[in-house]
Every structure is written in C-alpha cells, then in structure tokens.
Amino acid sequence: MTVNFLERKGVVEDLMKQAISPAQPRDNVAIGLIGIGFELHFDWEKAKASYSQAKQQIEGVMSDSNSLLAEPTPIQTREDLLKLLNQYAAQGMKATVIYQASYIAGDLAMALATWLRNNDMPMLSWSHTEVTGGNLTANRLCGQNFLLNNLSSMEVKYSWVFEEPGAEALNASLDRFIRVASAKARMKFAKILMVGGMRVPGFYDCELNEMSISKHFGLDVDRVDLATVWLHGEKTFGADVVNPIVEALLASPLLGKNGVNEKELFLSVRLALAVGDYANANGYIGVALKNWPELFEQYGIAGDGAGALVQDLGLPIADESDMGALLTMVTFNEMTLGAGLPTLMDFSYVNHSDNKVGMWHCGGTSTKLLRQGTTFDMQNHSILDNFDPSESCGMLVEFLQELGPVTIAKYQYPHASTVFAFEGDIVDSPMRYRGCYGEVAPKDICSQSIAASVMNHGMDHHWIMARGHLLDDLREFNYWTDVSELAASAPATTGRGLTKKLDY
C-alpha cells in the first residue's frame, strides 16, 4: 500500500500557509560524478561510452534539490583528479560518486584517499561487470577492489555498489546515497529550536549534549522561552486571521467529535501559527515544543494539537521538548524531502502472541496521517482527564493512523551517538487508547525482541515513526555521521540491563 501523504492538503493548511512566513527553501546540494580509468592498457572508447551511460543513470535519480557536476569523459591521472576534486569542492560539491570506467593507476587511488581524508565528504564507489570473451577490456571489478583497498588502508570511509546500469537495485543505491548525503549536507550548520527553553520536569531522556549534536549532525540548537513565542502570536495573529482557521477546522468533513471549547481552540490555533511563523521566519528546520506544564498552568491549553497543525505544514515538531526525538524527526524529514512525515510516539502496547507493537501518543500527530475512511476528534487532554476532567484542557487531535510501511527509530539519550531502529507495517486494529494510535507488525524483528531490546538497553521512552521502509537510508546516514546502531536483543520477556556507554 502506497500513500502520498504530501498530497493530502486541506483548507486549514492553505489558510495557515497564507498567514505565516513561508518556509525557507531547501539548499540545492551539488553531487560530483567522476569517472576514473586508464587508457594505456584498456579500451578507452568503451570506457568513455560506459561513463556516459553512468552519467545518464545518475541524472535520472537526482531530485529537484540536487545538481550534478560531471565532465564529458573519465579522467586518468592523479593531477587531473585533484584538480577536478578541488574545482567541484569550490562549486559546492557535498558528495561524490566515483565511477570505475576501467582499471586505474595506483597513484590516483592514493590521491583520492588523501583528499578524502582532508575533506568531510561522503563518497560512493560504483562498478559493474563487463563484456566477457576475448581481451579483458576494462577490468572494473579488480579496479574497484584496488581503489577500495587504498581507501580502507588509509582509514577513509566509503560506500560502494556493484550493480549493472539500468538495474533497479542500482537506482535504489544511487538514490539512497544522494538523498542521505544531501540530508547530511543540509543539516550541517542548520538550526533547530527548543520552544520552552528546557525539558519538561523529570523527562531526563529528552535532553541531549549539544556538543555531541554538533559533532554528529552539525546542527545548532537555539532555545527560547514559551513567553517569547506566545507574545509573538498575540502581536502577529488577530481574530481576523485565527477565527477563519478555527471555523475551517470545525467545518472539516474529516472532523468527528469536537470536545474543545471556543477559547482553547482559538488559543491553540494561534499558538500553531506563532510556532510555524517564528520557525519559518528564523530558518529553523525543526522544533521541540515544551507542551507542559506551562501551557496547562499558565496559558490554559494543551500544546499537542497546535503541534499537529504545524506538522501538517511539513515542519517537524517534537512533543515534550524531546531533542533526541527532534533529531530523529529532522533526519527522516531531510532524507525523504518531507515525504516521511515523522511523528513522536510512545511504545505503549505489545501483543506477543500476535507479534504486534502499539505506538501511541496524546494527540500531536499531523492530520495527514489520518487513516482513510475514518475521522479525527478534537479533544481535551486524555491524561489530564484521568486525574480531573474539570481541569483538562485542549486541543489534542485524536485518530487512528493510516495503514502501511513505517520505520521506527530514536537517537538515544544522553548524546545521540547511538540509535535503535526497526521497520514494520501499520495494520488494522482498534483504537486501543484515546490519542493517536498505530499498531505495527514488525518486519524483520519480533515484538519480544523489540521489547527486550528497549528494556535491556534502557532506551528512551519516546520513539519516532516515519512513513516508508527507511532502515537502509537511516543506516547509510548513521554511517556518515558516526552514529552506532544498538544491537537487538534475543526475544525474551525478562532480562538484565546493559548500562549506557557515555563516551561519545
């Protein structure tokens, strides 16, 4: 089942986009393609022809947010290679694909290794088979082996692919590398925002070491208090802007039940506008929102629904000031160019006999993820209802999430240098709790192994669920950002703790 969630647009989204500052466009990321070979001993005309085919192949998988730097023919010498690498770097190259047009001279391989050691740049080596019978005309496989031996010996990172031109597996590998390298480049020196200034009380696993965030992701973290954003909303968005959006929400054919009073609807929509406008105007690519206790106690609303409306605009919002969650959301969002629509959830239900895990949170998920044929409810906070319904406030957006493939992951407290992740599919289920819910059938791991892993490692209590099977993408990204994947535990319903490694 494939759903294009980005096409799910409505009146509310259009009105909000008209009211707030536009999101800053994604930077165009340049990818360099360099063909390498050796004319002296191999068929150079065939090498040039295969390089031209390789260039067409890469052009076919580039997104609108990429540009390709490529010469008309392969190069042969270390001098030409270094000249080209430096020229492309000056033109903004952020990643390179090295195409093995034929076997190469050894000094070229060493020059590439030395250059990559001095430049923070992902590199993909691509080779494939050749015509057999008669003379060996390119010796590509051995040439790629020779190149990667040099890189490995020089302690240089690389990705590689050995696939035929035109193969779907090759398209997938090229597409993955380009998207991941582009996400890494865009995130370097980008900014994320914590609205509320700090974590919520007692949620220790929602804070992260900011130097580690910079080390692995290249991101800067800004913090503002809630009053700053709240006052921005008061000054910028009057009733003439807010009320039409409230009315559009109440008139939506997707709305089932509304249990939120007029004042709280107004304040929630205004907060959504304030957060979206403040973030877009200042170039933030994601926001961690301190949902409580101040929003409950001082402003009289629950912030989850406001976050849901902002996520409908494509801006990741992590509930409860969770910076590890926000990092995970931003990573998925950038790798998929917004198509992943990541959302924050708790691991709140497990059914080992049916091999299912239930992902739940209060009601701050993008409404674009609403299951086809169902409606959403706007409600007061269900957890506050547990204590005293008269003290509960809104707005939260509650619904069953759409069926289909998902990836669940979280960069872990305290320094985001480790991650746990798995794939699955949201399957049909009842709404087991009020809030936003999706029940997942894991793909290559069982529910007992997931639960045992979470408990043994003492993992963070929030999880990010993104649309699509993205584990290979995430692993590629983690490789280039020096993030380690936590090993899954054997299936069990009891175990012993594995203490965290605090070295980052």
Side-chain angles (χ1 to χ4, degrees):
M1 176 181 180
T2 302
V3 179
N4 188 341
F5 295 100
L6 297 184
E7 292 181 352
R8 293 184 169 187
K9 298 180 179 179
V11 175
V12 173
E13 180 183 346
D14 289 340
L15 289 171
M16 290 186 66
K17 283 186 174 179
Q18 293 168 22
I20 68 174
S21 301
Q24 296 184 14
R26 284 187 171 90
D27 292 338
N28 186 286
V29 175
I31 307 295
L33 169 65
I34 300 178
I36 56 175
F38 194 40
E39 183 176 5
L40 183 61
H41 297 302
F42 299 98
D43 190 325
W44 197 239
E45 291 305 312
K46 286 184 178 179
K48 290 191 290 186
S50 68
Y51 169 76
S52 295
Q53 187 179 16
K55 182 179 174 184
Q56 293 176 358
Q57 183 99 25
I58 290 182
E59 287 172 338
V61 299
M62 300 279 277
S63 78
D64 293 338
S65 298
N66 290 110
S67 56
L68 183 64
L69 303 172
E71 300 301 295
T73 59
I75 53 97
Q76 302 186 59
T77 69
R78 70 179 297 278
E79 289 77 17
D80 285 344
L81 175 65
L82 292 172
K83 179 181 177 181
L84 204 53
L85 286 167
N86 289 325
Q87 175 186 324
Y88 285 176
Q91 293 176 252
M93 176 177 70
K94 300 301 182 185
T96 182
V97 177
I98 303 295
Y99 172 70
Q100 200 82 37
S102 77
Y103 196 78
I104 55 172
D107 61 348
L108 184 150
M110 189 62 73
L112 177 63
T114 303
W115 193 89
L116 288 171
R117 278 182 64 87
N118 291 288
N119 292 269
D120 178 22
M121 190 164 301
M123 190 280 290
L124 174 70
S125 165
W126 170 25
S127 186
H128 55 87
T129 56
E130 55 204 88
V131 175
T132 58
N135 293 341
L136 183 59
T137 57
N139 203 19
R140 287 193 196 92
L141 175 58
C142 188
Q144 185 181 34
N145 182 177
F146 184 42
L147 175 70
L148 300 187
N149 170 271
N150 277 266
L151 297 182
S152 180
S153 298
M154 291 284 285
E155 298 180 301
V156 173
K157 284 188 167 189
Y158 57 83
S159 292
W160 64 272
V161 59
F162 189 87
E163 282 285 358
E164 305 310 301
E168 281 304 310
L170 174 61
N171 281 335
S173 293
L174 292 173
D175 171 64
R176 177 185 308 115
F177 176 77
I178 290 169
R179 282 187 296 100
V180 166
S182 299
K184 179 180 184 296
R186 291 191 190 98
M187 289 168 68
K188 191 170 187 178
F189 300 117
K191 300 185 298 181
I192 54 178
L193 177 67
M194 180 182 280
V195 174
M198 64 190 75
R199 59 169 171 76
V200 298
F203 279 37
Y204 306 110
D205 61 355
C206 291
E207 275 279 20
L208 288 177
N209 182 300
E210 290 186 33
M211 289 188 178
S212 186
I213 292 174
S214 182
K215 173 186 173 183
H216 292 289
F217 300 85
L219 288 164
D220 292 330
V221 180
D222 287 347
R223 299 170 185 253
V224 299
D225 55 31
L226 278 167
T228 297
V229 175
W230 191 267
L231 289 171
H232 179 68
E234 288 184 338
K235 294 175 181 177
T236 310
F237 304 107
D240 59 322
V241 176
V242 177
N243 283 336
I245 298 173
V246 173
E247 291 165 5
L249 268 173
L250 294 172
S252 171
L254 299 177
L255 177 63
K257 178 174 64 177
N258 172 44
V260 184
N261 67 44
E262 183 178 337
K263 178 182 178 182
E264 290 165 16
L265 283 174
F266 179 93
L267 294 177
S268 296
V269 169
R270 193 178 68 188
L271 178 61
L273 292 168
V275 171
D277 186 66
Y278 192 94
N280 285 354
N282 292 285
Y284 295 106
I285 63 171
V287 176
L289 179 62
K290 191 167 186 271
N291 302 62
W292 57 271
E294 292 90 343
L295 282 175
F296 298 158
E297 296 171 355
Q298 298 177 29
Y299 298 103
I301 64 167
D304 306 66
L309 296 182
V310 181
Q311 289 186 89
D312 283 345
L313 308 180
L315 180 69
I317 305 289
D319 291 350
E320 296 170 326
S321 307
D322 192 328
M323 295 302 292
L326 181 59
L327 284 174
T328 315
M329 295 174 86
V330 165
T331 299
F332 277 131
N333 203 52
E334 292 302 319
M335 287 195 308
T336 65
L337 297 174
L341 278 174
T343 187
L344 181 147
M345 309 293 279
D346 289 352
F347 176 34
S348 293
Y349 175 81
V350 66
N351 184 333
H352 292 319
S353 61
D354 290 340
N355 192 30
K356 305 284 173 53
V357 296
M359 308 305 293
W360 167 93
H361 213 250
C362 306
T365 293
S366 168
T367 64
K368 289 184 177 181
L369 296 175
L370 173 69
R371 186 171 302 181
Q372 291 268 21
T374 67
T375 58
F376 65 85
D377 293 337
M378 294 192 301
Q379 297 273 54
N380 288 345
H381 202 294
S382 61
I383 303 300
L384 292 181
D385 276 349
N386 286 337
F387 177 69
D388 184 353
S390 67
E391 295 296 319
S392 183
C393 55
M395 149 186 104
L396 278 73
V397 184
E398 302 181 346
F399 56 88
L400 276 169
Q401 288 201 32
E402 181 62 278
L403 308 175
V406 293
T407 304
I408 296 170
K410 177 71 186 297
Y411 290 112
Q412 295 290 302
Y413 171 85
H415 42 64
S417 59
T418 59
V419 68
F420 186 72
F422 62 94
E423 294 175 335
D425 293 270
I426 295 184
V427 295
D428 192 28
S429 73
M431 185 76 138
R432 298 199 185 274
Y433 319 103
R434 269 189 53 195
C436 190
Y437 187 75
E439 202 151 298
V440 178
K443 182 183 170 193
D444 297 316
I445 189 173
C446 71
S447 63
Q448 281 198 9
S449 181
I450 293 168
S453 302
V454 170
M455 303 305 179
N456 287 343
H457 287 286
M459 295 182 193
D460 299 357
H461 80 285
H462 284 152
W463 294 92
I464 301 306
M465 187 158 66
R467 291 291 155 161
H469 287 157
L470 306 170
L471 192 53
D472 285 343
D473 296 10
L474 188 64
R475 285 173 171 161
E476 181 82 9
F477 182 88
N478 293 335
Y479 175 74
W480 291 110
T481 51
D482 296 321
V483 172
S484 301
E485 185 172 350
L486 294 173
S489 298
T493 57
T494 185
R496 297 173 185 85
L498 302 169
T499 55
K500 293 180 185 293
K501 294 181 179 180
L502 299 185
D503 179 14
Y504 64 96

